[in-house]
Amino acid sequence: MNPQTHAPDAHGAQDSSLTNRYGTPKQPLSRRLKTTLVVAGLLLAVLAALWLSIANTDRFTSKDIAFNIQSPELVTVTFDLTRNVDDTVECSAQVLSEQKAIVGWKSVTFGPEESSSITTTPQPGSESISTIARIGDSITQRAVVNVRSSYQGVSGGVSTCWVLEK
């Protein structure tokens, strides 16, 4: 091995063995090109954020109202859903254990117009879906749902909702 260093000579030229091995050094990006790339990247990020905010506007909102632990195997969950009258929205009510594990789950369907249903086998006690407000094309309904649990629950509420395709 030759301990010589391969540094540019006084005229800035690279040693020919380094040039042969690695090729000529790349020219750095011009300041104008760097600026253009940064501006284009920022513009793309702003457009993507704008598109995501418009595309993902929820056509519904849900709100937990109450839960009542009836027994170690039964929890009553009460929640409101505000949605477009023409949409069919399905929500899942769930019961959580002390360790935050899901120990009970039930699906509730809010149909178009004011028709709605609880889509699983009826549970003991009273279950209901009632309309509490209607303004223009928007309707707010309250669901009182009995959710069976496999273990002692400590809380209950609406987990998630989604619009069903027509």
Side-chain angles (χ1 to χ4, degrees), residues 44-55:
L44 184 63
V46 167
L47 289 175
L50 182 64
W51 180 77
L52 287 174
S53 67
I54 292 171

Side-chain angles (χ1 to χ4, degrees), residues 127-146:
E127 292 186 324
S128 65
I129 296 175
S130 58
T131 300
I132 54 177
R134 182 172 178 163
I135 301 171
D137 288 341
S138 180
I139 188 170
T140 300
Q141 293 178 296
R142 177 161 294 168
V144 178
V145 182
N146 293 316

Side-chain angles (χ1 to χ4, degrees), residues 4 19 62 65-66 99 113 115-116 135 143-144 153 155 157 159 162:
Q4 292 179 339
T19 302
S62 62
I65 301 300
Q99 292 79 25
E113 298 296 325
S115 66
S116 299
I135 301 171
V144 178
S155 69
S159 169
W162 56 95

